[in-house]
Amino acid sequence: MSLAANAPILILLAWVFEVAIGWPDRLYKRIGHPVVWIGSLISFFEQTLNRNAWSHAVRYIAGAMTTLLIVAVVTTVAVIIAQVLPPTWWGIGLEAMIASSLIASRSLYAHVVSVARPLAEGNMDDARQAVSMIVGRDPTQLSPSGIARASLESLAENASDGVVAPVFWGAIFGLPGLSAYKTINTLDSMIGHKNDRYAAFGGCAARLDDLANIIPARLTGLLIATASIKTASFTLMFRDARFHRSPNAGWPEAAMAGALGVRLSGPRTYNDLVTNDAWLNQWAHDPEADDVRNGLVFYIRAMALGAALLVLIAVGISSWGSGR
């Protein structure tokens, strides 16, 4: 089996690129970023087809057609790229570079570190500003423990959405699978909200994202729990994950709560609207600055375990192919 035919190796190489260099600022300034391009396409269709005058059913159908069309377009482009690039080292390297733009382990770590540092120093203004970049809740209403809780929840959930899930689908279907997942996830983050504007138009995107994350979310929870080397993390994950408002986010968040011995999720405020979500690990203490730093340690360990698993899969596929 050739290297080009081994999707796990391609995605592993893409992951290495992403961790080592990310998407260079110089490249971003010249051509932008693939996720930004996808977002622009979503915005165009949303502004054109999501009309308040239309009924709920019509807006849902328009949103579903938009979702399927955009996923199909982006996936088709990825298929063409994968087919056109030659099965040489430079071709595989270029494909891996493109794929690396759709994985977010480096940027996720950087965003949470930008919260952890000022939080540990007691600089609440900078901590609130930093956490506003990764969560939707009002940062001005967050206490130090609220900032820590928000950053840990974002770290756990995005470890799944931004890293494990794209790697998972890429390892199975290569660049097209990775691109399809990232498009679905971007659609959900932009239009998959339960409010007056998006409940109908983004309904299909939200359901599709839930389906795409069923396995990755649970895998992420298992990776975090294993990285913590604490049975409490496994116990809490299997006990409390189902209480989360999301069918998927509860798994990595509950695993993180158990690993750190803190409580996560629970009531929070969005635009003066209080949501009475259930607590994960309800009777534990609220997280503090040290817990955010420890959460980053567990995140790194979990992602390292995921990479090791990907290496084993890639080697196994290569060995199997060579033996045929």
Side-chain angles (χ1 to χ4, degrees):
M1 181 176 291
S2 69
L3 176 61
N6 193 332
I9 288 182
L10 171 69
I11 300 305
L12 183 63
L13 183 59
W15 200 356
V16 170
F17 283 159
E18 189 270 335
V19 171
I21 62 176
W23 190 255
D25 289 339
R26 183 177 300 178
L27 191 61
Y28 180 83
K29 291 176 181 178
R30 287 193 174 187
I31 65 172
H33 189 281
V35 175
V36 176
W37 305 338
I38 294 171
S40 297
L41 190 60
I42 295 169
S43 293
F44 171 77
F45 279 97
E46 191 275 330
Q47 292 171 13
T48 303
L49 298 176
N50 188 16
R51 301 185 180 180
N52 292 330
W54 291 351
S55 68
H56 184 282
V58 172
R59 292 170 73 186
Y60 186 93
I61 292 172
M65 292 177 63
T66 294
T67 295
L68 298 177
L69 175 62
I70 293 175
V71 172
V73 167
V74 175
T75 304
T76 299
V77 171
V79 169
I80 293 172
I81 292 173
Q83 292 295 320
V84 169
L85 290 176
T88 59
W89 278 108
W90 76 263
I92 295 166
L94 181 56
E95 186 176 354
M97 280 291 295
I98 295 170
S100 72
S101 68
L102 304 178
I103 304 172
S105 58
R106 178 189 178 100
S107 61
L108 175 58
Y109 178 84
H111 279 303
V112 178
V113 166
S114 70
V115 179
R117 286 174 177 165
L119 185 61
E121 297 167 356
N123 185 344
M124 293 302 101
D125 288 339
D126 286 355
R128 289 190 177 98
Q129 174 61 32
V131 81
S132 70
M133 304 299 293
I134 56 176
V135 298
R137 65 199 75 170
D138 183 0
T140 63
Q141 300 183 25
L142 294 178
S143 64
S145 63
I147 294 172
R149 176 157 60 108
S151 60
L152 284 170
E153 290 165 4
S154 181
L155 176 64
E157 182 176 0
N158 285 295
S160 175
D161 293 356
V163 187
V164 175
V167 167
F168 175 83
W169 290 111
I172 297 175
F173 298 112
L175 180 61
L178 173 58
S179 302
Y181 170 78
K182 196 64 179 182
T183 304
I184 292 169
N185 188 243
T186 305
L187 280 157
D188 178 65
S189 67
M190 292 183 65
I191 65 174
H193 306 291
K194 296 179 180 179
N195 55 32
D196 291 341
R197 179 173 179 178
Y198 296 119
F201 190 80
C204 177
R207 298 293 79 75
L208 197 57
D209 185 72
D210 286 343
L211 289 173
N213 281 294
I214 288 176
I215 297 175
R218 288 148 182 80
L219 177 58
T220 305
L222 289 172
L223 290 172
I224 292 172
T226 303
S228 73
I229 324 178
K230 294 180 181 179
T231 56
S233 185
F234 289 97
T235 301
L236 187 70
M237 178 178 66
F238 288 111
R239 188 193 75 190
D240 284 4
R242 67 183 184 275
F243 299 131
H244 199 280
R245 68 189 184 283
S246 164
N248 297 315
W251 290 83
E253 287 187 27
M256 185 66 79
L260 295 169
V262 301
R263 63 178 184 172
L264 297 176
S265 193
R268 73 278 309 281
T269 302
Y270 294 99
N271 298 321
D272 296 326
L273 176 65
V274 177
T275 61
N276 294 312
D277 295 333
W279 288 102
L280 304 176
N281 203 15
Q282 179 176 4
W283 306 115
H285 65 84
D286 289 320
E288 300 173 353
D290 286 345
D291 295 309
V292 179
R293 289 197 295 264
N294 291 333
L296 285 165
V297 171
F298 291 142
Y299 165 72
I300 292 172
R301 290 180 184 174
M303 297 305 98
L305 285 173
L309 180 60
L310 190 58
V311 169
L312 291 176
I313 294 171
V315 171
I317 291 177
S318 295
S319 299
W320 176 77
S322 299
R324 291 184 62 182

